Coordinates of all heavy atoms in Angstrom, one line a residue:
M1 N 17.8 14.4 -2.8 CA 17.1 14.7 -4.1 C 18.1 15.2 -5.1 O 17.7 15.3 -6.3 CB 16.1 15.7 -3.8 CG 14.9 15.2 -3.1 SD 13.5 16.4 -3.1 CE 12.8 16.0 -1.5
A2 N 19.3 15.5 -4.8 CA 20.2 16.0 -5.8 C 20.4 15.0 -6.9 O 20.6 13.8 -6.6 CB 21.5 16.4 -5.1
G3 N 20.5 15.5 -8.1 CA 20.8 14.6 -9.2 C 19.6 13.8 -9.6 O 19.7 12.8 -10.4
R4 N 18.4 14.1 -9.2 CA 17.2 13.4 -9.6 C 16.2 14.3 -10.2 O 15.0 14.3 -9.7 CB 16.6 12.6 -8.4 CG 17.6 11.5 -8.0 CD 16.9 10.7 -6.9 NE 15.8 9.9 -7.3 CZ 14.9 9.4 -6.5 NH1 15.1 9.4 -5.2 NH2 13.9 8.7 -6.9
K5 N 16.6 15.1 -11.1 CA 15.7 16.1 -11.6 C 14.6 15.4 -12.4 O 13.4 15.8 -12.2 CB 16.5 17.0 -12.6 CG 17.3 18.1 -12.0 CD 17.9 18.9 -13.0 CE 18.9 19.9 -12.4 NZ 19.7 20.6 -13.4
K6 N 14.9 14.4 -13.2 CA 13.9 13.8 -14.0 C 13.8 12.3 -13.7 O 14.8 11.6 -14.1 CB 14.2 14.1 -15.5 CG 13.9 15.5 -15.8 CD 13.9 15.6 -17.3 CE 13.6 17.1 -17.7 NZ 13.6 17.3 -19.2
L7 N 12.8 11.9 -13.2 CA 12.5 10.5 -13.0 C 11.9 10.0 -14.4 O 11.0 10.6 -14.8 CB 11.5 10.2 -11.9 CG 12.1 10.2 -10.5 CD1 11.0 10.0 -9.5 CD2 13.1 9.1 -10.4
R8 N 12.4 8.9 -14.8 CA 11.8 8.4 -16.1 C 10.6 7.6 -15.8 O 10.7 6.5 -15.3 CB 12.8 7.6 -16.8 CG 13.9 8.4 -17.4 CD 14.2 7.9 -18.8 NE 15.5 8.4 -19.3 CZ 16.2 7.7 -20.1 NH1 15.8 6.5 -20.5 NH2 17.4 8.2 -20.5
M9 N 9.5 8.1 -16.1 CA 8.2 7.4 -16.0 C 7.6 7.1 -17.3 O 6.5 6.8 -17.4 CB 7.2 8.2 -15.1 CG 7.8 8.4 -13.7 SD 6.7 9.3 -12.6 CE 5.6 8.0 -12.1
G10 N 8.5 7.2 -18.3 CA 8.0 7.0 -19.7 C 7.3 8.2 -20.2 O 6.8 9.1 -19.5
S11 N 7.3 8.3 -21.5 CA 6.6 9.4 -22.1 C 5.1 9.2 -22.0 O 4.6 8.0 -21.9 CB 7.0 9.6 -23.6 OG 6.7 8.4 -24.3
G12 N 4.3 10.2 -22.1 CA 2.9 10.1 -21.9 C 2.5 9.9 -20.5 O 3.1 10.6 -19.6
G13 N 1.6 9.1 -20.1 CA 1.2 9.0 -18.8 C 0.0 9.9 -18.5 O -0.3 10.7 -19.4
Y14 N -0.5 9.8 -17.4 CA -1.7 10.6 -17.1 C -1.6 11.3 -15.7 O -0.9 10.8 -14.8 CB -2.9 9.7 -17.0 CG -3.4 9.2 -18.4 CD1 -2.8 8.1 -19.0 CD2 -4.4 9.9 -19.1 CE1 -3.1 7.7 -20.3 CE2 -4.8 9.5 -20.4 CZ -4.1 8.4 -21.0 OH -4.5 8.0 -22.2
C15 N -2.4 12.4 -15.7 CA -2.6 13.0 -14.4 C -4.0 12.6 -13.9 O -4.9 12.5 -14.8 CB -2.5 14.5 -14.5 SG -1.0 15.1 -15.1
I16 N -4.1 12.3 -12.7 CA -5.4 11.9 -12.2 C -5.9 12.8 -11.0 O -5.1 13.2 -10.2 CB -5.4 10.4 -11.8 CG1 -6.8 9.9 -11.5 CG2 -4.4 10.2 -10.6 CD1 -6.8 8.3 -11.6
C17 N -7.2 13.0 -10.9 CA -7.7 13.8 -9.8 C -8.1 12.9 -8.7 O -8.9 12.0 -8.9 CB -9.0 14.6 -10.3 SG -9.8 15.5 -9.0
P18 N -7.5 13.1 -7.5 CA -7.8 12.3 -6.4 C -9.2 12.5 -5.8 O -9.7 11.7 -5.1 CB -6.8 12.7 -5.3 CG -6.4 14.1 -5.7 CD -6.5 14.2 -7.2
K19 N -9.8 13.6 -6.2 CA -11.2 13.9 -5.7 C -12.2 13.2 -6.5 O -13.1 12.5 -6.0 CB -11.4 15.4 -5.7 CG -10.6 16.1 -4.7 CD -11.1 17.6 -4.7 CE -10.2 18.4 -3.7 NZ -10.5 19.8 -3.8
C20 N -12.2 13.3 -7.8 CA -13.3 12.8 -8.6 C -12.8 11.7 -9.6 O -13.6 11.1 -10.3 CB -13.9 14.0 -9.4 SG -12.9 14.7 -10.7
G21 N -11.5 11.5 -9.7 CA -11.0 10.4 -10.5 C -10.8 10.8 -12.0 O -10.6 9.9 -12.8
E22 N -11.0 12.0 -12.3 CA -10.8 12.5 -13.7 C -9.4 12.2 -14.1 O -8.4 12.4 -13.4 CB -11.1 14.0 -13.8 CG -11.0 14.5 -15.2 CD -12.2 14.2 -16.0 OE1 -13.2 13.7 -15.5 OE2 -12.2 14.4 -17.2
R23 N -9.2 11.7 -15.3 CA -7.9 11.4 -15.9 C -7.7 12.3 -17.1 O -8.5 12.3 -18.0 CB -7.7 10.0 -16.2 CG -7.2 9.1 -15.1 CD -7.4 7.7 -15.6 NE -6.2 7.0 -16.0 CZ -6.0 6.4 -17.2 NH1 -7.0 6.3 -18.0 NH2 -4.9 5.9 -17.5
V24 N -6.5 12.9 -17.2 CA -6.2 13.7 -18.4 C -4.7 13.3 -18.8 O -3.9 13.0 -17.9 CB -6.3 15.2 -18.2 CG1 -7.8 15.6 -17.9 CG2 -5.4 15.7 -17.2
P25 N -4.4 13.4 -20.1 CA -3.0 13.1 -20.5 C -2.1 14.1 -19.9 O -2.4 15.3 -19.8 CB -3.1 13.3 -22.0 CG -4.5 13.1 -22.4 CD -5.3 13.6 -21.2
H26 N -1.0 13.7 -19.4 CA 0.0 14.6 -18.8 C 0.6 15.5 -19.8 O 1.0 15.0 -20.9 CB 1.1 13.7 -18.1 CG 2.2 14.5 -17.6 ND1 3.5 14.5 -18.1 CD2 2.3 15.5 -16.6 CE1 4.3 15.3 -17.4 NE2 3.6 15.9 -16.5
Q27 N 0.7 16.8 -19.5 CA 1.3 17.7 -20.4 C 2.8 17.8 -20.1 O 3.1 18.1 -19.0 CB 0.6 19.1 -20.2 CG -0.9 19.1 -20.4 CD -1.3 18.9 -21.8 OE1 -0.7 19.5 -22.8 NE2 -2.2 18.0 -22.1
A28 N 3.6 17.6 -21.1 CA 5.0 17.7 -21.0 C 5.4 19.1 -20.5 O 4.9 20.1 -21.1 CB 5.7 17.4 -22.2
G29 N 6.2 19.2 -19.5 CA 6.6 20.6 -19.0 C 5.7 21.1 -18.0 O 6.1 22.1 -17.4
T30 N 4.5 20.5 -17.8 CA 3.6 21.0 -16.7 C 3.4 19.9 -15.7 O 2.8 18.9 -16.0 CB 2.3 21.4 -17.3 OG1 2.5 22.4 -18.3 CG2 1.4 22.0 -16.3
P31 N 3.9 20.1 -14.5 CA 3.7 19.1 -13.5 C 2.2 18.8 -13.2 O 1.4 19.8 -13.3 CB 4.3 19.7 -12.2 CG 5.2 20.7 -12.7 CD 4.6 21.2 -14.0
C32 N 1.8 17.6 -13.0 CA 0.4 17.3 -12.8 C -0.2 18.1 -11.6 O -1.3 18.5 -11.7 CB 0.2 15.8 -12.4 SG 0.4 14.7 -13.8
I33 N 0.7 18.4 -10.6 CA 0.2 19.1 -9.5 C -0.2 20.6 -9.8 O -0.9 21.2 -9.1 CB 1.2 19.0 -8.3 CG1 0.5 19.3 -7.0 CG2 2.4 20.0 -8.6 CD1 1.2 18.7 -5.8
E34 N 0.3 21.0 -11.0 CA 0.0 22.4 -11.4 C -1.1 22.3 -12.5 O -1.5 23.4 -13.0 CB 1.2 23.1 -12.0 CG 2.2 23.4 -10.9 CD 3.4 24.1 -11.4 OE1 3.4 24.6 -12.6 OE2 4.4 24.2 -10.7
T35 N -1.6 21.1 -12.7 CA -2.7 21.0 -13.7 C -4.0 20.9 -12.9 O -4.1 20.3 -11.9 CB -2.5 19.7 -14.4 OG1 -1.3 19.7 -15.1 CG2 -3.7 19.5 -15.5
R36 N -5.0 21.7 -13.4 CA -6.3 21.7 -12.7 C -7.2 20.7 -13.3 O -7.3 20.6 -14.5 CB -6.9 23.1 -12.8 CG -6.1 24.2 -12.0 CD -6.3 23.9 -10.6 NE -5.5 24.8 -9.8 CZ -5.7 25.1 -8.5 NH1 -6.7 24.6 -7.9 NH2 -4.9 25.9 -7.9
C37 N -7.9 20.1 -12.5 CA -8.9 19.1 -12.9 C -10.0 19.8 -13.7 O -10.6 20.8 -13.2 CB -9.5 18.4 -11.7 SG -10.9 17.3 -12.1
P38 N -10.3 19.3 -14.9 CA -11.3 20.0 -15.7 C -12.7 19.8 -15.2 O -13.6 20.5 -15.5 CB -11.2 19.3 -17.1 CG -10.5 18.0 -16.8 CD -9.6 18.2 -15.6
S39 N -12.9 18.8 -14.3 CA -14.2 18.5 -13.7 C -14.5 19.3 -12.4 O -15.5 20.0 -12.3 CB -14.4 17.0 -13.4 OG -14.4 16.3 -14.7
C40 N -13.5 19.3 -11.5 CA -13.8 19.9 -10.2 C -12.8 21.0 -9.9 O -13.0 21.7 -8.9 CB -13.8 18.8 -9.1 SG -12.1 18.2 -8.7
G41 N -11.8 21.2 -10.7 CA -10.9 22.3 -10.5 C -9.8 22.1 -9.5 O -9.0 22.9 -9.1
G42 N -9.8 20.8 -9.0 CA -8.8 20.5 -7.9 C -7.4 20.2 -8.5 O -7.3 20.1 -9.7
K43 N -6.4 20.1 -7.7 CA -5.1 19.8 -8.1 C -5.0 18.3 -8.5 O -5.6 17.5 -7.8 CB -4.1 20.1 -7.0 CG -3.8 21.6 -6.9 CD -2.8 21.8 -5.8 CE -2.6 23.3 -5.6 NZ -1.6 23.5 -4.5
M44 N -4.2 18.0 -9.5 CA -4.1 16.6 -9.9 C -2.8 16.0 -9.5 O -1.9 16.7 -9.1 CB -4.3 16.6 -11.4 CG -5.6 17.3 -11.9 SD -6.0 17.0 -13.6 CE -6.8 15.4 -13.4
L45 N -2.8 14.7 -9.6 CA -1.6 14.0 -9.2 C -1.1 13.1 -10.4 O -1.9 12.7 -11.2 CB -1.8 13.0 -8.0 CG -2.3 13.7 -6.7 CD1 -2.7 12.7 -5.7 CD2 -1.2 14.6 -6.2
R46 N 0.2 12.9 -10.4 CA 0.7 12.0 -11.5 C 0.2 10.6 -11.2 O 0.4 10.0 -10.1 CB 2.2 12.0 -11.5 CG 2.8 11.1 -12.6 CD 2.5 11.7 -14.0 NE 3.0 10.9 -15.0 CZ 4.0 11.2 -15.8 NH1 4.6 12.3 -15.7 NH2 4.4 10.4 -16.8
E47 N -0.5 10.0 -12.2 CA -1.0 8.6 -12.0 C 0.2 7.6 -11.7 O 1.2 7.6 -12.4 CB -1.7 8.2 -13.2 CG -2.4 6.8 -13.0 CD -3.2 6.4 -14.2 OE1 -2.7 6.5 -15.3 OE2 -4.4 6.0 -14.0
G48 N 0.1 6.9 -10.7 CA 1.1 5.9 -10.3 C 2.2 6.4 -9.4 O 3.0 5.7 -9.0
S49 N 2.1 7.7 -9.1 CA 3.1 8.3 -8.2 C 2.8 7.9 -6.8 O 1.7 7.4 -6.5 CB 3.1 9.8 -8.3 OG 1.9 10.4 -7.8
D50 N 3.7 8.2 -5.9 CA 3.5 7.8 -4.5 C 2.3 8.6 -3.9 O 1.6 8.1 -3.1 CB 4.8 8.1 -3.7 CG 5.9 7.1 -3.9 OD1 5.6 6.1 -4.5 OD2 7.0 7.4 -3.6
H51 N 2.2 9.8 -4.3 CA 1.1 10.6 -3.8 C -0.2 10.0 -4.3 O -1.2 10.0 -3.5 CB 1.2 12.1 -4.4 CG 2.2 12.9 -3.7 ND1 3.2 13.6 -4.3 CD2 2.4 13.1 -2.4 CE1 3.9 14.2 -3.4 NE2 3.5 13.9 -2.2
H52 N -0.2 9.6 -5.5 CA -1.5 9.0 -6.0 C -1.8 7.7 -5.3 O -2.9 7.5 -4.9 CB -1.3 8.7 -7.5 CG -2.5 8.0 -8.1 ND1 -2.4 7.0 -9.0 CD2 -3.8 8.2 -7.9 CE1 -3.6 6.6 -9.3 NE2 -4.5 7.3 -8.7
K53 N -0.8 6.9 -5.0 CA -1.0 5.7 -4.3 C -1.5 5.9 -2.9 O -2.4 5.3 -2.4 CB 0.2 4.8 -4.3 CG 0.6 4.2 -5.6 CD 1.9 3.5 -5.5 CE 2.3 3.1 -6.9 NZ 3.8 2.7 -7.0
A54 N -1.0 6.9 -2.3 CA -1.4 7.3 -0.9 C -2.8 7.8 -0.9 O -3.6 7.4 0.0 CB -0.5 8.3 -0.3
A55 N -3.2 8.5 -1.9 CA -4.5 9.0 -2.0 C -5.5 7.9 -2.2 O -6.7 8.0 -1.7 CB -4.6 10.1 -3.1
Q56 N -5.1 6.9 -2.9 CA -6.0 5.8 -3.2 C -6.2 4.9 -1.9 O -7.3 4.3 -1.8 CB -5.4 4.9 -4.3 CG -5.6 5.4 -5.7 CD -5.2 4.4 -6.7 OE1 -4.2 3.8 -6.6 NE2 -6.0 4.3 -7.8
K57 N -5.2 4.9 -1.1 CA -5.3 4.0 0.1 C -6.4 4.5 1.1 O -7.1 3.7 1.6 CB -4.0 3.9 0.8 CG -3.1 2.9 0.1 CD -1.8 2.7 0.9 CE -0.9 1.7 0.1 NZ 0.4 1.6 0.8
R58 N -6.4 5.8 1.3 CA -7.4 6.3 2.2 C -8.7 6.6 1.5 O -8.8 7.6 0.8 CB -6.9 7.6 3.0 CG -5.7 8.1 2.6 CD -5.5 9.4 3.2 NE -4.9 10.4 2.3 CZ -4.9 11.7 2.4 NH1 -5.4 12.2 3.5 NH2 -4.4 12.4 1.5
K59 N -9.6 5.8 1.8 CA -10.9 6.0 1.2 C -12.0 6.0 2.2 O -11.8 5.3 3.2 CB -11.2 4.9 0.1 CG -10.6 5.3 -1.2 CD -11.3 4.5 -2.3 CE -10.8 5.1 -3.6 NZ -11.4 4.3 -4.7
Ligands
ZN1 ZN1 -11.6 16.4 -10.1

């Protein structure tokens, strides 16, 4: 992981809630996982991240 502080995923992007599917614009400087879902209060994931993809697979 050394030397990979910032993955370029483009500016903007969204955080998505794996529980209810709520999407909110990603806040620069705040990781999605520290962003609370405005609908259910759960932790959010960066849309398109490996975590998000994994969450989508198990339904
Ligand atoms: Zn939610």
Side-chain angles (χ1 to χ4, degrees):
M1 285 192 213
R4 291 182 69 191
K5 282 184 191 172
K6 288 193 177 179
L7 279 176
R8 287 224 198 149
M9 297 179 82
S11 59
Y14 286 84
C15 300
I16 190 161
C17 175
K19 289 185 185 175
C20 70
E22 183 79 12
R23 269 167 104 235
V24 298
H26 175 244
Q27 301 292 314
T30 304
C32 286
I33 200 153
E34 291 180 12
T35 302
R36 291 291 174 161
C37 173
S39 291
C40 73
K43 287 181 183 176
M44 306 192 82
L45 300 173
R46 182 67 183 250
E47 186 177 46
S49 71
D50 287 343
H51 282 129
H52 176 222
K53 286 174 188 168
Q56 280 187 318
K57 276 185 186 175
R58 4 170 221 165
K59 277 202 170 175

